């Protein structure tokens, strides 16, 4: 299908990009285009200007910054999953990213685009939420840091203001003793998650001391499985863990679509959370 | 010419060009001054069209014209249905562009013609249409209930047909076992890699239509009939065509309208569908409710079979819509012997996209119905599903065998194919693993599914088509031309769209003429080049068209023999034809057929009565269908916690008769199995209660890719067909026909200890989970 007419700008600096965005209320940022172009082609969105941030130096690359990894908004999925800074500093990000779509899309789609798009079915929002990432936004007014917990507002809606550009994301490194797993449930290799579970689990001497769990596609935004997290404080591996994971869907409001109705999604969240926590904690 | 070509796994001549993008898809073609057409499509399943106003669109930049259905009312005719299957059939008027009423979402109501596609797309937004909504009719059972809203004036029943053979009452009376089941064949959307596209042009007198079609020849005739343009003024070209699976065996609204627009505007016009447009308006496939009753003796021997189908026609009858369920009419009995058989089918109108041929066409439905039922019989009697089949199938020494449904199966060996499949599969070992997992209550259970099948291919003996009231014959045509330099042009009436005819036909002609494979070219798909043909569908191309090539080559060889005798000054009877040369028996005198082609061209010294050409035409029309068969075995792992089904291994042993090119045969089987698995696990066209299609994109209409499928283990038995001199049986649809029930039988096998005896297709994780939840409660 064919999008409605729009103007196209390709600024050469982040400051110029902010200006271009500020100049048109109906302007949209174009990153890898893997989510935006389908919307345009189906005529579900009618922006009047696309501001292509693809070549902005400031948004590129993945950087190890000591206590955190800074992932530039324009880092492609392929770049992220292969980055040593990511695989060693925040392996959960690499695990989830390697399961995004297929290689062609991973070479175009970007980390920042995935988050700014705020699709609760995307794999990365739940991961960044689970890891308490901090999103760095730039606008003509300057820079602002937004904790992941405040970033995802509603279905396809983030707390970025019109005119703000996501520059990158700080992912805090977790120290010794943490294990990770992303459990994605989908019907075909190329389809989106029916439900996904991002788990970071801290172990010590056969007990789980702390767990952080983000859920994909269990509501209009990515959500934390807070009840399960609470119950997973200082518990022994085994039956207690299973019971804690029974609470994984508490407080969620999963969508209904052709792939799953809400009750099935809740069931999946419980089963998959148990699997993710078990794998992350290294238990068979 | 040394080795025999037939049977060699030749790499396809087509592929270098296809893989390096030097292709001529219809959308790649252009003409000077070409205009682009876009269609405005109904958002309503059923409505009266009160008003269409295209005037605002006409004024937009780049727009050359805009029309509504009313503008075509006098000239657009009605899209054809060539297969009135019964006396009582109702064939409603089917205008290519809706005039007064729309009957499915996606039906064209207006069009814009502009200087580029972008402007045409923008201008669609400016067209105003007032609809007066009418009730949608979505469900077949409801459509047939009294008081249902009507799709057409005459009601919602399109036709009914019955076949009976033997005494069904006697078969069911006091039968120790009766299996009674209802299965649903979901609606599918054929998804060819290349979307449909049409271009039409005129020089003021004659018309050329390029279309991504399987049937350039049939299309030419039908365009003449529908539009009244004389047939000799229409040329149809099917350039490279990227798959069809039956969906391009059609005379489409867009083809007719593009031709009419080229005539009206006196300029070339072109249309290419988007994928979402295709999901809405490519004819759909399957969509049957099958009620099956089977009576058997206590030892599992079948006494009688009764099949009652509801077949969803959608809103109109297209080219062969009503014939599709009827292609299964004589195949529910499949490879089994029985005393009585009854088949009933009711075609039902609904306010949905019309259905029509989709890979297998009627035969996958029949195979599914009987093969699921055979497993239920086995379970009822606590017999191994293979054993139940053995007790009922036609034994190899019984061929030729006339079935209860009246077809005569010429050859086959079900025992051999099944034994081979069982040993490749490791059947006993998998059964042992299954038992172990059951004992351990493993959350991941193993299921084993079998499907045996036969199908009728090589559509079709013209006489039988006549008896079935089909509007055309089933012959195929070929020409062979030897060029002055000894190279060969083979012209075929089949119309390949991915099957590799150029390669296989070259192999056939190479053997028949004794010329090198490389010296042969195959021309097709243009009614001005391949002047006669019945095109490609129903696994007919090799079985009918390939044989026509053999016949044409035979004729050329006999002409060459006369010429050789003259040149070598001997009697034709003294000549042996070997390795491409005529040799005078007992001497070292010889001439190759390629040398003789030059002699025919110069014509300096021809015998009396011999024309200056080594050319021929031949038409082949078989006496009977061909009947491929095979045994497929599938092992699945079912995660009982999530409902996810994973195919662990898949073995197919097919008997497609003589194999011309094993590589191509394997490719067809691979793709076919994938497509059948897709029906079992992934694909479903979903309409809501208002008749809106919910699966308009590939995010909702799920197609598997290689990543979702296991490696298949393939093997063959070769029992040549006796109905054609090649001994070939056809392989285009076999994989699709056998694989769907093999997968579903495997899933049900895994779940049967839980008290589950069916899962509706596609067997999604959610459906499997709900089935388990249902019995857990
Ligand atoms: C077939 C297919 C399958 C897919 N499957 C998956 C999957 O399984 N899992 C998954 O997670 N994703 C999947 N995706 C989406 C993919 O990951 C996209 O890359 C991602 O959602 C968006 O990234 P992008 O760079 O393409 O963003 P774009 O499409 O360019 O932009 C998306 C949105 O974000 C905004 N935006 C982008 N960058 C910025 C920025 N720096 N600042 C402010 N706003 C910005 C845009 O304005 C737009 O609204 C799939 C996509 C396709 C086409």
């Amino acid at each position: 299908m064919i999008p409605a007419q729009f103007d196209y700008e390709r600024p050469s600096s982040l400051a110029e990009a902010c200006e271009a965005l500020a100049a048109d209320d109906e302007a949209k940022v174009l990153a890898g285009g893997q989510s935006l172009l389908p919307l345009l082609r189906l005529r579900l969105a009618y922006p009047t200007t696309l501001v292509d941030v693809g070549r902005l130096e400031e948004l590129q690359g993945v950087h190890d910054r000591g206590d955190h990894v800074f992932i530039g908004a324009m880092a492609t999925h392929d770049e992220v999953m292969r980055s040593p800074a990511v695989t060693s500093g925040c392996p959960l990000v690499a695990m989830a990213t390697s399961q995004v779509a297929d290689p062609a899309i991973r070479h175009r789609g970007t980390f920042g685009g995935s988050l700014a798009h705020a699709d609760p079915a995307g794999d990365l929002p739940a991961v960044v939420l689970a890891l308490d990432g901090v999103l760095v936004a730039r606008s003509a007014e300057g820079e602002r840091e937004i904790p992941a917990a405040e970033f995802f507002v509603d279905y396809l809606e983030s707390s970025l203001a019109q005119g703000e550009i996501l520059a990158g994301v700080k992912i805090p490194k977790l120290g010794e003793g943490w294990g990770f797993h992303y459990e994605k449930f989908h019907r075909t290799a190329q389809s989106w998650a029916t439900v996904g579970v991002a788990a970071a689990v801290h172990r010590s001497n056969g007990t789980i001391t702390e767990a952080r769990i983000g859920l994909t596609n269990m509501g209009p935004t990515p959500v934390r499985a807070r009840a399960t997290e609470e119950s997973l404080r200082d518990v022994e591996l085994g039956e207690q863990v299973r019971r804690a994971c029974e609470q994984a869907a508490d407080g969620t409001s999963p969508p209904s679509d052709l792939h799953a109705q809400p009750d099935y999604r809740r069931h999946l969240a419980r089963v998959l959370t148990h699997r993710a926590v078990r794998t992350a904690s290294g238990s068979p | 010419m040394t080795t025999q070509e037939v049977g060699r796994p030749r790499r396809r001549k087509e592929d270098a060009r296809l893989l390096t993008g030097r292709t001529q898809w219809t959308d790649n073609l252009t003409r000077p001054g070409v205009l682009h057409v876009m269609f405005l499509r109904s958002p309503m399943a059923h409505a009266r069209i009160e008003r269409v106003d295209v005037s605002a669109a006409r004024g937009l930049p780049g727009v050359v014209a805009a029309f509504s259905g009313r503008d075509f009312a006098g000239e657009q005719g009605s899209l054809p249905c060539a297969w009135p299957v019964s006396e009582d059939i109702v064939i409603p008027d089917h205008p290519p562009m809706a005039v007064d009423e729309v009957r499915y979402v996606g039906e064209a109501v207006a069009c814009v013609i502009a200087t580029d596609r972008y402007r045409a797309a923008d201008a669609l937004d400016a067209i105003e249409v007032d609809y007066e909504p009418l009730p949608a009719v979505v469900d077949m059972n409801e459509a047939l209930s009294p008081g249902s809203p009507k799709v057409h004036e005459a009601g919602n029943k399109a036709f009914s047909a019955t076949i009976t053979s033997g005494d069904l009452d006697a078969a069911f009376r006091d039968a120790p076992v009766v299996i009674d089941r209802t299965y649903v064949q979901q609606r599918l959307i054929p998804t060819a890699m290349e979307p449909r596209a049409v271009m039409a042009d005129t020089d003021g007198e004659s018309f050329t239509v390029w279309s991504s079609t399987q049937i350039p020849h049939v299309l030419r005739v039908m365009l003449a009939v529908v539009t009244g343009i004389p047939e000799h003024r229409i040329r149809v070209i099917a350039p490279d065509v990227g798959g069809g699976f039956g969906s391009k065996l059609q005379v489409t609204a867009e083809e007719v309208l593009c031709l009419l627009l080229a005539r009206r505007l006196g300029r070339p016009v072109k249309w290419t569908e988007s994928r979402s447009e295709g999901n809405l308006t490519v004819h759909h496939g399957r969509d049957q409710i099958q009620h099956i009753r089977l009576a058997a003796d206590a030892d599992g021997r079948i006494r009688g079979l009764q099949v009652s189908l509801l077949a969803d026609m959608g809103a109109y009858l297209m080219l062969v819509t009503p014939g599709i369920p009827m292609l299964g009419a004589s195949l529910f009995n499949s490879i089994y012997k029985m005393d009585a058989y009854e088949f009933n089918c009711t075609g039902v109108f609904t306010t949905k996209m019309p259905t029509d041929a989709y890979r297998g066409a009627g035969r996958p439905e029949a195979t599914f119905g009987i093969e699921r039922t055979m497993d239920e019989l086995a379970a009822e009697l606590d017999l191994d599903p293979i054993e139940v089949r053995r007790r009922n199938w036609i034994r190899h020494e019984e061929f030729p065998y006339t079935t209860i449904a009246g077809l005569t199966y010429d050859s086959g060996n079900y025992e051999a194919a099944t034994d081979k499949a069982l040993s490749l599969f490791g059947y006993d070992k998998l059964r042992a693993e299954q038992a172990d997992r059951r004992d351990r209550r493993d959350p991941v259970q193993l299921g084993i599914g079998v499907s045996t099948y036969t199908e009728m291919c090589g559509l079709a003996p013209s006489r039988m088509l006549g008896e079935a009231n089909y509007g055309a014959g089933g012959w195929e045509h070929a020409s062979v031309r030897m060029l002055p330099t000894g190279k060969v042009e083979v012209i075929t009436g089949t119309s390949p769209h991915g099957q590799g005819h150029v390669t296989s036909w070259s192999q056939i002609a190479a053997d028949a003429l004794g010329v090198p494979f490389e010296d042969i070219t195959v021309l097709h798909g243009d009614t001005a080049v391949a002047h006669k043909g019945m095109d490609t569908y129903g696994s007919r191309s090799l079985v009918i068209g390939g044989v026509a090539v053999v016949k044409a080559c035979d004729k050329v060889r006999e002409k060459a023999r006369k010429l050789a005798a003259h040149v070598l000054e001997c009697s034709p009877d003294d000549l042996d034809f070997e390795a491409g040369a005529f040799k005078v028996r007992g001497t070292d005198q010889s001439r190759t057929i390629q040398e003789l082609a030059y002699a025919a061209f110069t014509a300096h010294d021809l015998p009396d009565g011999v024309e200056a050409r080594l050319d021929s035409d031949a038409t082949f029309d078989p006496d009977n269908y061909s009947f491929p068969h095979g045994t497929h075995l599938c092992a699945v792992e079912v995660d009982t916690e999530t409902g996810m089904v994973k195919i662990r291994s898949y073995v197919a042993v097919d008997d497609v008769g003589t194999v011309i090119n094993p590589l191509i045969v394997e490719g067809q089987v691979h793709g076919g199995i994938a497509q059948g698995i897709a029906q079992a696990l992934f694909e479903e066209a979903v309409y809501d209660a208002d008749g809106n299609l919910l699966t308009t994109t590939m995010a909702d209409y799920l197609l598997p890719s290689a990543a979702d499928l296991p490696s298949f283990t393939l093997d063959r038995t070769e029992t040549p067909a006796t109905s054609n001199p090649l001994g070939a049986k056809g392989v285009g649809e076999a994989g699709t026909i056998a694989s769907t029930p093999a997968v579903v039988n495997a899933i049900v096998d895994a779940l049967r200890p839980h008290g589950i005896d069916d899962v509706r297709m596609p067997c999604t994780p959610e459906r499997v989970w709900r089935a388990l939840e249902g019995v857990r409660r």
Side-chain angles (χ1 to χ4, degrees):
Chain A
M1 288 174 112
I2 289 171
Q5 199 170 337
F6 55 81
D7 290 331
Y8 173 82
E9 308 240 9
R10 197 172 68 205
S12 52
S13 72
L14 189 48
E16 269 177 43
C18 291
E19 269 171 42
L21 272 183
D24 179 353
D25 278 352
E26 300 294 319
K28 272 230 164 247
V29 173
L30 174 67
Q34 298 302 292
S35 294
L36 185 55
L37 291 191
L39 290 181
L40 299 189
R41 289 164 71 89
L42 292 166
R43 296 201 172 206
L44 294 172
Y46 290 81
T48 45
T49 308
L50 291 191
V51 180
D52 185 345
V53 297
R55 301 206 181 167
L56 299 186
E57 202 49 49
E58 299 96 317
L59 308 188
Q60 311 293 334
V62 178
H63 313 276
D64 192 329
R65 297 211 173 134
D67 65 339
H68 68 270
V69 179
F70 183 81
I71 304 177
M74 276 307 303
T76 63
H77 299 315
D78 188 70
E79 217 179 319
V80 169
M81 65 188 252
R82 291 176 200 284
S83 153
V86 172
T87 50
S88 65
C90 47
L92 186 57
V93 171
M95 289 170 178
T97 305
S98 66
Q99 294 185 55
V100 168
D102 58 31
I105 290 164
R106 290 200 295 267
H107 273 87
R108 288 197 167 269
T110 64
F111 194 71
S114 285
L115 298 171
H117 193 51
D119 186 342
D123 296 299
L124 303 177
V127 171
V128 172
L129 186 68
L131 296 176
D132 294 322
V134 175
L135 295 96
V136 181
R138 274 282 294 272
S139 68
E141 277 85 64
E143 195 166 284
R144 167 168 92 100
E145 294 200 346
I146 311 164
E150 292 163 25
F151 185 78
F152 303 104
V153 176
D154 204 343
Y155 180 70
L156 302 189
E157 194 184 326
S158 76
S159 59
L160 287 175
Q162 175 64 30
E164 262 185 327
I165 293 175
L166 180 63
V169 185
K170 292 179 179 177
I171 310 281
K173 289 187 193 171
L174 293 171
E176 286 295 295
W178 285 87
F180 305 95
H181 187 69
Y182 186 67
E183 183 79 21
K184 180 172 182 173
F185 188 88
H186 50 161
R187 285 181 56 201
T188 65
Q190 284 172 312
S191 45
W192 296 74
T194 307
V195 173
V197 179
V201 177
H202 188 263
R203 300 147 302 183
S204 154
N205 299 329
T207 61
I208 291 177
T209 51
E210 187 186 348
R212 302 183 186 176
I213 299 163
L215 302 177
T216 297
N217 219 3
M218 287 296 292
T221 64
V223 286
R224 291 280 285 264
R226 291 287 181 200
T228 298
E229 289 181 0
E230 291 302 321
S231 302
L232 283 177
R233 273 183 201 288
D234 303 317
V235 296
E236 284 183 19
L237 296 173
E239 181 55 22
Q240 276 186 301
V241 172
R242 197 191 58 74
R243 258 187 282 126
C245 294
E246 283 296 307
Q247 301 166 290
D250 291 6
T252 61
S253 44
S256 178
D257 57 34
L258 290 175
H259 305 307
Q261 290 170 50
D263 60 333
Y264 177 54
R265 278 203 163 89
R266 285 196 192 92
H267 167 77
L268 283 178
R270 293 189 280 263
V271 172
L272 302 175
T273 298
H274 189 215
R275 290 182 183 179
V277 168
R278 265 181 18 205
T279 311
S281 65
S283 50
Chain B
M1 196 0 245
T2 44
T3 52
Q4 176 169 317
E5 281 292 340
V6 167
R8 275 182 81 175
R10 277 279 190 190
R11 293 222 187 149
R12 305 197 321 170
K13 285 185 171 179
E14 295 89 335
D15 286 345
R17 196 172 59 79
L18 288 170
L19 294 174
T20 54
R22 289 161 196 243
T23 39
Q24 302 245 329
W25 311 114
T26 300
D27 188 57
N28 296 142
L29 305 177
T30 188
R31 305 286 288 170
V34 73
L35 298 172
H36 296 262
V37 183
M38 288 254 179
F39 294 98
L40 185 70
R41 298 186 177 279
S42 171
M44 320 274 297
H46 197 191
R48 222 181 324 281
I49 302 174
E50 300 283 329
R51 184 181 72 100
V52 184
D53 185 353
V54 298
S55 53
R58 280 186 180 139
L60 291 174
V63 173
V64 174
F67 302 108
S68 69
R70 217 146 282 204
D71 297 314
F72 293 105
E75 62 176 329
Q76 67 177 348
S78 181
L79 293 175
C81 172
W83 202 344
V85 291
S86 71
E87 295 284 320
D88 69 350
I89 196 163
V90 177
I91 303 184
D93 192 43
H94 186 187
M97 187 173 282
V99 179
D100 300 315
E101 197 167 318
V102 286
R103 293 187 176 85
Y104 64 91
V105 171
E107 194 167 354
V109 294
C111 63
V112 170
I113 302 90
T115 49
D116 64 56
R117 298 180 66 195
Y118 305 88
R119 292 188 151 126
D122 287 344
L124 288 184
D125 286 352
I127 298 175
E128 288 172 32
V129 187
D130 294 341
Y131 295 99
E132 174 64 31
L134 295 167
V137 180
V138 177
D139 178 87
M140 282 196 277
N141 280 308
E142 282 171 25
L144 291 179
S145 64
S148 164
K150 287 181 184 175
V151 181
H152 295 282
E153 254 328 286
N156 296 337
K157 198 182 96 178
F159 73 92
S160 56
T162 299
I163 293 173
T164 52
S165 176
D167 187 344
L168 198 74
D169 288 340
F172 275 82
R173 201 177 308 125
D174 308 324
V177 188
V178 173
I179 307 292
D180 187 322
R181 291 284 188 281
T182 299
Y183 301 118
V184 177
Q185 290 279 327
Q186 79 270 34
R187 185 175 268 255
L188 301 175
I189 303 177
T191 312
M193 194 84 88
E194 183 208 12
R196 291 176 302 155
V198 188
M199 183 164 73
D201 197 4
T202 178
D203 59 9
E205 256 177 45
S206 296
F207 297 85
T208 306
V209 176
W210 294 260
S211 181
S212 176
T213 180
Q214 296 172 225
I215 53 163
H217 298 92
V218 174
L219 181 59
R220 181 197 197 192
V221 180
M222 289 300 180
L223 286 175
V225 171
V226 171
T227 65
I229 297 172
E231 190 181 350
H232 64 294
R233 298 253 168 89
I234 301 176
R235 172 180 178 187
V236 175
I237 300 175
D240 284 321
V241 177
F245 311 112
S247 71
K248 295 171 184 171
L249 162 52
Q250 193 54 270
V251 176
T252 66
E254 293 83 3
E255 287 163 333
V256 172
L257 292 168
C258 283
L259 176 59
L260 295 178
L261 286 168
R263 175 165 76 177
R264 183 175 291 198
L265 302 171
R267 288 180 66 175
V269 299
K270 182 165 135 181
W271 167 79
T272 303
E273 75 185 352
S274 71
R275 189 60 74 179
S276 306
E277 202 177 14
N279 276 19
L280 284 166
T281 63
V282 152
H283 73 235
H284 292 174
R286 313 280 193 271
D287 208 340
Q288 291 185 352
I289 301 172
Q290 314 178 312
H291 181 204
I292 296 180
R293 292 176 69 235
L294 180 141
D297 286 332
D299 63 357
R301 200 189 61 84
I302 304 171
R303 296 160 62 123
L305 178 67
Q306 184 183 33
V307 177
S308 304
L309 299 186
L310 294 183
D312 195 333
M313 306 282 101
Y316 301 96
L317 301 185
M318 296 193 71
L319 192 59
V320 290
T321 301
I324 300 307
M326 298 308 291
L327 279 169
S330 312
L331 281 177
F332 275 86
N333 52 304
S334 191
I335 63 171
Y336 307 116
K337 298 179 278 190
M338 58 190 72
D339 308 325
Y341 177 62
E342 183 181 295
F343 170 91
N344 298 293
C345 177
T346 302
V348 185
F349 287 119
T350 57
T351 52
K352 290 180 277 185
M353 181 64 208
T355 55
D356 207 317
Y358 178 49
R359 200 170 191 175
R363 293 155 289 163
E365 296 91 315
T367 303
F368 184 89
I370 185 65
E371 288 302 293
R372 282 288 298 113
T373 307
M374 291 305 279
D375 264 31
E376 296 307 305
L377 176 63
E380 181 75 26
L381 295 173
D382 205 15
L383 285 171
D384 184 281
I386 307 280
E387 180 56 26
V388 169
R389 287 168 171 85
R390 272 189 207 286
R391 290 183 188 180
N392 285 288
W393 69 39
I394 301 157
R395 293 190 311 274
H396 70 275
E397 67 271 16
E398 292 176 290
F399 288 95
Y401 183 91
T402 300
T403 70
I404 189 76
L407 291 172
T408 300
Y409 297 171
D410 62 324
S411 70
N413 191 334
Y414 309 139
E415 300 93 317
T418 304
D419 289 345
K420 206 169 199 178
L422 289 172
S423 86
L424 285 169
F425 190 63
Y427 188 77
D428 295 336
K429 210 166 147 218
L430 282 165
R431 282 283 179 216
E433 180 185 333
Q434 176 181 54
D436 177 55
R437 287 196 193 224
R438 282 178 181 169
D439 288 348
R440 285 193 285 118
R441 297 181 183 279
D442 191 327
V444 178
Q445 287 289 313
L446 189 70
I448 295 169
V450 57
S451 162
T452 51
Y453 75 98
T454 191
E455 52 147 338
M456 44 200 251
C457 279
L459 305 183
S462 298
R463 184 177 49 79
M464 293 190 187
L465 288 178
E467 285 162 8
N469 210 20
Y470 183 64
W475 47 264
E476 194 46 84
H477 184 266
S479 310
V480 168
R481 297 199 287 244
M482 295 221 48
L483 304 175
T485 55
K487 311 294 183 199
V488 182
E489 284 177 343
V490 172
I491 296 115
T492 177
T494 65
S495 199
H497 39 282
Q499 297 87 345
H501 295 180
V502 170
T503 303
S504 304
W505 283 207
S506 295
Q507 289 179 266
I508 291 170
D511 280 358
L513 296 174
V515 304
F517 173 78
E518 294 76 15
D519 285 357
I520 299 165
T521 185
V522 179
L523 307 175
H524 59 78
D526 177 346
T527 58
V529 174
H531 60 289
K532 267 172 80 77
M534 288 305 296
D535 307 317
T536 289
Y537 44 85
S539 302
R540 70 185 305 276
S541 291
L542 175 64
V543 179
I544 317 289
V547 174
V549 172
V550 173
K551 302 242 164 213
C553 290
D554 288 349
K555 286 186 179 176
V556 163
R557 220 178 42 232
E558 287 322 300
K559 279 189 185 174
R561 179 185 295 276
K562 276 189 202 146
L563 188 52
H566 178 72
V567 173
L568 293 165
E569 298 178 341
C570 66
S571 150
D573 297 338
D574 295 335
L575 291 171
D576 290 330
F577 186 67
E578 258 169 50
F582 291 96
K583 287 204 177 80
V584 185
R585 207 167 300 127
T587 74
D588 59 358
Q589 294 284 301
S590 75
R591 283 289 184 286
T592 70
I593 196 165
Q594 293 187 293
E595 290 165 346
L596 293 165
Y598 190 71
F601 165 69
T602 59
H604 293 164
D605 181 20
L606 296 180
D608 289 344
V610 171
E611 293 177 11
R613 58 188 186 100
L614 279 187
D615 297 351
S616 73
D617 285 278
T619 299
F620 178 65
D621 198 339
D623 296 329
N624 193 3
Y625 296 100
S626 57
F627 299 96
H629 70 81
T631 300
H632 288 214
L633 290 162
C634 175
V636 297
E637 289 176 359
V638 180
D639 181 339
T640 57
E641 289 178 351
T642 63
M644 183 61 120
V645 173
K646 195 175 137 232
I647 297 183
R648 169 137 132 213
S649 62
Y650 196 101
V651 168
V653 176
D654 294 291
D655 193 323
V656 298
T658 307
V659 168
I660 309 301
N661 183 324
L663 260 188
I664 288 180
V665 164
E666 261 186 48
Q668 288 290 320
V669 174
H670 268 257
I673 293 173
Q675 227 157 356
I677 291 175
Q679 176 175 10
L681 296 181
F682 301 111
E683 297 187 31
E684 180 170 27
V686 182
Y687 281 90
D688 69 12
D690 298 325
N692 297 303
L693 183 68
L694 302 181
T695 49
T696 54
T697 74
M698 286 184 173
D700 301 310
Y701 190 82
L702 286 197
L703 297 169
S705 69
D708 302 298
L709 300 165
S711 253
F712 307 134
T713 304
L714 307 186
D715 207 338
R716 285 192 302 274
T717 55
E718 273 196 36
T719 316
T722 62
S723 52
N724 71 72
L726 275 175
K729 295 180 179 173
V731 68
E733 295 154 299
T736 318
I737 290 168
S739 56
T740 310
V743 175
V744 178
N745 277 341
I747 294 168
V748 174
D749 183 56
L751 301 176
R752 206 180 286 281
H754 296 259
I756 291 167
D757 68 4
D758 197 26
V759 179
R760 235 192 93 168
M761 294 190 292
C763 303
T764 63
E766 180 166 14
R767 283 207 176 120
V768 171
W769 175 74
R770 283 196 195 283
L772 284 161
E773 281 295 286
V775 292
R776 276 179 201 135
R777 282 212 186 89

